[in-house]
Amino acid sequence: MYIKDLHAFEGKEVTLKGWVANRRDSKGLVFINLRDGSGVCQCVADANKISEEDFNNAGKLGLESAIELNGTVLKDDRQIGGYEVQISSLKVIQFVDNYPIAKKEHGVDFLMDNRHLWLRSQRQWAIMRIRNTIIFAIHKFFQQEGFVQMDAPVFTGNACEGTTNLFETDFYGDPAYLSQSGQLYGEAMAMAFGKIYTFGPTFRAEKSKTRRHLSEFWMIEPEMAFYDIHQNMDLIESFLQFVIKEVLDSCQKELTLIERDTTILQSSLKKFPRLTYDEAVAIIKGEKDVNGVNSIRSLEEELAKVEAEIHAVTSEINEREAKIAAPGMKKGEINFNQNKIATLKSDLKELEEQQRNIPQWIESAKNFRYGNDLGGSDETVITRLFDVPIMVYDWPHEVKAFYLKRNPDDARFARGVDVLAPEGYGEIVGGGERETNEQMLRDKITEHELPMADFEWYLDLRRFGSVPHAGFGLGLERLVTWMCKLKHVRESIPFPRMYGRLLP
RNA sequence: UCCUCAAUAGCUCAGCUGGUUAGAGCGAGUGACUGUUAAUCACUAGGUCCCUGGUUCGAGCCCAGGUUGGGGAGCCA
């Protein structure tokens, strides 16, 4: 019997097993918020309706105590799930004291140290369920489309895209690296099965501490024989929209719980704009408007708005502080104001960060040098003009991986495509059409100073039945982060591995 | 690797220009209250002010170096 099924048992006697998520006392009454993994519901122990021993035990339950109880399911519209349970008997499996995560805001470092317990909280519960839905939807889509799931090795002897950022390990005395992409193996598998996708862990030893990076993350890499870049983009679009739709259809409760405004997810079901690198650069530099909106001018307006908000928030904080300092305020009211001030102060910190960032974005957008890759701020500058993910393709070949095909009509460009998520989330997909010409590949491998011998097997694919083919890589955690509108990727995976974080 | 911000009670933070015994809220403990939703109210306990050195009559506060963490750049999904 699980809490999610209570609605089917109205008026009936049920047995629930779970953990105490919260407890409140009153004379003769104990309210327990019980959590069982499927949901949360309030259970009431009434001194007049249960044994004295059970009632005393109920009053002593600390947070996260484990219990089993029998009770009657009653409809109660005041409750989150719409039902509450009137306890008739209670069995304590374990009493718990001093559970470290309090019913209060905590800092990131503390929560990360307690990740194994943090996962029990409502918000993390909802995020992990959405992650699960996304993973299932990914498999569903590709299986439905006739793709074969095949995984690439995790140990590799050579670097796919350069030798930096690799974790080195010992492989029977030889150096081996943890995979940073299954891409090249995916191409080999696509030549055997037509359409394949990999779904596995990926490792990047980047010493970066940003909200977008993990050292270990999960990547989905489809590869399709006989696809060109345009068919690739068609597939990316229908794939992402399938996943978004699945989440909207089956995770309403979770999205509400994490307070995700789904407007952008809804609007992402329309066509994704496809921009060439040239068009994207013109938009970023403010030389080309999007629906009458200019990137630079809208940033300047945003900055003015942020500054006005900072002013408003600052004066509200001062006002409330003055009120508290004045004599005669009741304790409850003081608490209320202090909480309010704490919230306002953290808002203020974020606003001030924006105030510092926006001028830098404007500068870097104005001074963007044609031919460079887009930086994090450039991605923010362009994506905030759209309410849907955008696809940027045909990149200067110098900034992209060696295996991307040159545009046959303009050799300056490689047929890569990046998908940039809206709301400032940036790149969630990178892919493209692959180079089929053996000599072009050899030149590129030399140019990137990669060891040719390690790539002979890969070049075999160009010698024996080379055909046009394309594919892409999706970072699962970045997709989860965007869809849940999280502040940081670390909340999108159960146990994040990142620079400076190996435990728990 | 670089830039930037921070570290004070179990947690989140305040601590004025360097000045006597370092504060609040939450959490914990005890008690009160028969419908609470982060319940409320009263009382109690709880401190190596990150570390090392320096300046000073005096350092939580100033200076130098380090450690750890946050945000960002580079690079990337």
Side-chain angles (χ1 to χ4, degrees):
Chain A
M1 176 70 208
Y2 289 99
I3 288 168
K4 69 176 167 56
D5 302 320
L6 281 182
H7 60 91
F9 291 84
E10 190 178 336
K12 298 209 175 85
E13 179 88 2
V14 296
T15 303
L16 292 173
K17 299 175 191 177
W19 298 266
V20 175
N22 197 3
R23 195 200 77 214
R24 292 170 299 280
D25 295 359
S26 193
K27 186 171 186 179
L29 284 175
V30 175
F31 300 95
I32 296 165
N33 281 9
L34 187 75
R35 177 181 72 71
D36 78 344
S38 81
V40 180
C41 99
Q42 173 163 290
C43 302
V44 185
D46 187 329
N48 298 324
K49 292 177 183 159
I50 60 172
S51 73
E52 201 181 328
E53 192 197 345
D54 284 359
F55 185 77
N56 287 339
N57 282 338
K60 285 189 287 187
L61 293 170
L63 289 192
E64 292 303 318
S65 292
I67 56 173
E68 178 178 336
L69 60 82
N70 292 304
T72 314
V73 181
L74 301 172
K75 183 136 185 67
D76 186 339
D77 292 328
R78 288 171 298 185
Q79 305 309 324
I80 305 164
Y83 293 88
E84 105 177 346
V85 172
Q86 183 76 46
I87 301 172
S88 54
S89 71
L90 174 76
K91 191 172 128 197
V92 177
I93 299 167
Q94 189 193 31
F95 277 113
V96 171
D97 304 319
N98 284 311
Y99 181 67
I101 299 184
K103 297 174 280 185
K104 170 105 185 16
E105 277 182 54
H106 290 285
V108 199
D109 197 36
F110 175 79
L111 288 172
M112 286 306 307
D113 283 342
N114 290 284
R115 182 61 174 169
H116 52 297
L117 303 175
W118 188 21
L119 287 169
R120 301 181 185 191
S121 74
Q122 284 273 291
R123 187 177 161 78
Q124 300 306 312
W125 176 86
I127 294 167
M128 287 308 135
R129 288 179 64 95
I130 292 171
R131 178 184 165 104
N132 175 63
T133 299
I134 290 173
I135 291 170
F136 190 49
I138 289 167
H139 282 294
K140 218 160 134 187
F141 175 84
F142 285 120
Q143 294 293 331
Q144 213 162 274
E145 296 286 320
F147 283 64
V148 179
Q149 201 268 338
M150 299 186 74
D151 285 313
V154 170
F155 284 120
T156 58
N158 61 295
C160 295
E161 307 179 21
T163 49
T164 50
N165 304 336
L166 284 168
F167 283 106
E168 193 177 321
T169 69
D170 177 87
F171 191 79
Y172 307 114
D174 284 328
Y177 306 99
L178 297 184
S179 175
Q180 59 174 185
S181 165
Q183 152 77 42
L184 304 186
Y185 300 98
E187 290 186 44
M189 296 186 280
M191 297 305 123
F193 295 84
K195 295 192 289 190
I196 64 98
Y197 69 107
T198 68
F199 196 137
T202 304
F203 308 89
R204 308 250 169 117
E206 291 159 350
K207 283 190 182 173
S208 40
K209 288 158 72 161
T210 84
R211 58 183 83 208
R212 304 189 301 284
H213 288 91
L214 291 170
S215 303
E216 175 184 292
F217 63 96
W218 289 72
M219 193 150 70
I220 294 90
E221 294 180 287
E223 193 70 33
M224 300 77 67
F226 303 104
Y227 267 52
D228 67 12
I229 186 163
H230 301 288
Q231 292 167 299
N232 196 19
M233 288 193 279
D234 292 342
L235 182 77
I236 293 171
E237 185 177 310
S238 54
F239 162 64
L240 286 177
Q241 290 181 341
F242 180 88
V243 174
I244 292 167
K245 218 169 160 306
E246 286 281 310
V247 170
L248 285 172
D249 286 349
S250 60
C251 294
Q252 270 314 317
K253 188 178 155 195
E254 288 81 2
L255 290 166
T256 309
L257 228 159
I258 61 172
E259 295 177 309
R260 173 51 156 144
D261 176 356
T262 56
T263 315
I264 292 255
L265 296 180
Q266 301 281 357
S267 68
S268 294
L269 296 174
K270 70 188 182 200
K271 212 162 166 37
F272 294 0
R274 298 180 188 188
L275 310 168
T276 61
Y277 173 84
D278 280 9
E279 288 168 323
V281 170
I283 291 168
I284 288 166
K285 289 175 80 90
E287 291 161 1
K288 189 178 162 187
D289 292 357
V290 175
N291 301 323
V293 182
N294 180 279
S295 68
I296 305 287
R297 276 201 304 278
S298 84
L299 279 173
E300 286 164 354
E301 283 160 20
E302 182 76 23
L303 182 61
K305 233 168 69 186
V306 166
E307 276 165 355
E309 266 178 72
I310 287 176
H311 189 77
V313 170
T314 309
S315 52
E316 193 178 340
I317 289 173
N318 291 338
E319 243 170 68
R320 287 184 190 274
E321 274 175 348
K323 260 201 222 163
I324 289 175
M329 187 182 272
K330 274 191 203 156
K331 196 169 175 192
E333 207 178 342
I334 290 175
N335 282 347
F336 174 80
N337 276 293
Q338 274 171 345
N339 284 338
K340 202 82 190 172
I341 289 169
T343 318
L344 288 169
K345 280 190 177 171
S346 75
D347 288 353
L348 189 63
K349 267 189 192 166
E350 270 177 50
L351 286 167
E352 281 169 347
E353 198 188 315
Q354 284 187 50
Q355 191 187 23
R356 283 194 299 272
N357 285 340
I358 294 175
Q360 289 172 21
W361 294 351
I362 293 176
E363 272 319 289
S364 99
K366 275 183 183 163
N367 301 328
F368 185 86
R369 280 206 20 229
Y370 183 89
N372 284 2
D373 205 347
L374 302 190
S377 74
D378 306 312
E379 290 180 358
T380 307
V381 169
I382 189 164
T383 54
R384 54 190 290 287
L385 302 173
F386 296 89
D387 62 349
V388 52
I390 60 171
M391 302 204 260
V392 180
Y393 69 103
D394 272 6
W395 294 75
H397 71 91
E398 297 89 348
V399 301
K400 286 287 166 185
F402 77 89
Y403 48 72
L404 286 172
K405 186 182 175 66
R406 292 296 180 87
N407 180 342
D409 302 321
D410 191 339
R412 288 176 302 160
F413 299 109
R415 308 230 84 168
V417 54
D418 282 0
V419 177
L420 308 180
E423 301 171 288
Y425 282 89
E427 188 173 353
I428 51 172
V429 167
E433 188 174 339
R434 318 306 184 190
E435 183 57 72
T436 49
N437 182 287
E438 187 185 341
Q439 194 50 51
M440 294 275 274
L441 277 173
R442 284 191 183 280
D443 293 347
K444 269 286 180 186
I445 290 169
T446 310
E447 193 184 310
H448 281 77
E449 296 178 343
L450 297 168
M452 190 66 74
D454 288 356
F455 291 92
E456 286 303 332
W457 69 268
Y458 180 68
L459 292 165
D460 262 0
L461 305 175
R462 285 11 182 217
R463 291 192 277 262
F464 306 108
S466 182
V467 298
H469 62 293
F472 61 91
L474 167 81
L476 176 65
E477 286 73 21
R478 284 199 180 167
L479 181 63
V480 174
T481 302
W482 168 56
M483 292 196 52
C484 295
K485 204 170 179 175
L486 306 178
K487 287 200 177 119
H488 198 299
V489 266
R490 71 185 144 220
E491 280 184 66
S492 68
I493 183 167
F495 293 96
R497 292 290 170 258
M498 49 207 278
Y499 183 57
R501 171 67 59 185
L502 194 54
L503 283 171

